[in-house]
Amino acid sequence: MADASTTLGHGEHSHHHNMDAVDVFGFWIYILSDCLLFATLFAGYAVLHNNTFGGPALKELFSLPYVLLETMFLLASSFTYGLAMISMYRSNRQQVLGWLMITFLFGLSFVVMEVNEFVKLYMEGHSWHSSAAMTSFFSLVGTHGLHVSMGLVWMAIMMFQVAKYKVNPVMSRRLTYLGLFWHFLDIVWIFLFTIVYLMGAI
């Protein structure tokens, strides 16, 4: 009987380990697919960014200080998420929730500023169908903004779950996945800011 219990326990452990491996594999497949998506959008922007259809060049439409402030919000959110992860390793639920809330507010500020930029461009007559250049710009920047918005929804769900279930191995794994996703978006934005805004301003 003891042997049967031991065998059952070993089987449950193996099943749990296999499920964790599937989760990790699935997450990295998703990140890889996002890399391919953004690589395609960057390539499209590189080809089309000068096709303004007689309109102003893209660099004439941007406010670099404004976008730099956006960038600071997003980079700050990456730092505060790192502090949330440190608090998670210390099993300090209140600090985890506090840093996640600050991260959420930084990310939300970034999204609000980006939406405001899009609205301003649209009101000035520079919409996504004005030219191939604007289409590529809105597609690239908008897709990144959509990912950040999805990350904020995910973060809100995680804050609710941490508040309800405390910091446990399942929450730790989910927070780790969210952190990797969030940092990935920061890396994409650094490339985007450099290629679209900085190089575009030259």
Side-chain angles (χ1 to χ4, degrees), residues 83-96:
L83 295 176
M85 293 299 290
I86 292 174
S87 300
M88 181 197 75
Y89 294 134
R90 295 174 178 170
S91 298
N92 190 324
R93 178 173 59 169
Q94 292 304 318
Q95 286 189 6
V96 170

Side-chain angles (χ1 to χ4, degrees), residues 182-201:
W182 197 255
H183 296 315
F184 167 74
L185 295 180
D186 276 8
I187 293 171
V188 172
W189 179 257
I190 290 172
F191 280 102
L192 197 156
F193 177 70
T194 302
I195 293 172
V196 176
Y197 294 100
L198 288 182
M199 293 179 63

Side-chain angles (χ1 to χ4, degrees), residues 171-182:
M171 292 298 105
S172 298
R173 186 170 68 250
R174 292 176 181 176
L175 285 171
T176 299
Y177 291 157
L178 174 57
L180 291 172
F181 176 73
W182 197 255

Side-chain angles (χ1 to χ4, degrees), residues 108-128:
L108 182 62
S109 298
F110 171 86
V111 172
V112 169
M113 290 186 70
E114 188 169 278
V115 170
N116 182 64
E117 180 186 27
F118 283 4
V119 171
K120 182 175 180 291
L121 288 171
Y122 182 82
M123 295 301 292
E124 292 174 351
H126 308 296
S127 64
W128 52 89

Side-chain angles (χ1 to χ4, degrees), residues 123-139:
M123 295 301 292
E124 292 174 351
H126 308 296
S127 64
W128 52 89
H129 52 71
S130 299
S131 65
M134 294 306 299
T135 299
S136 63
F137 167 78
F138 277 106
S139 297

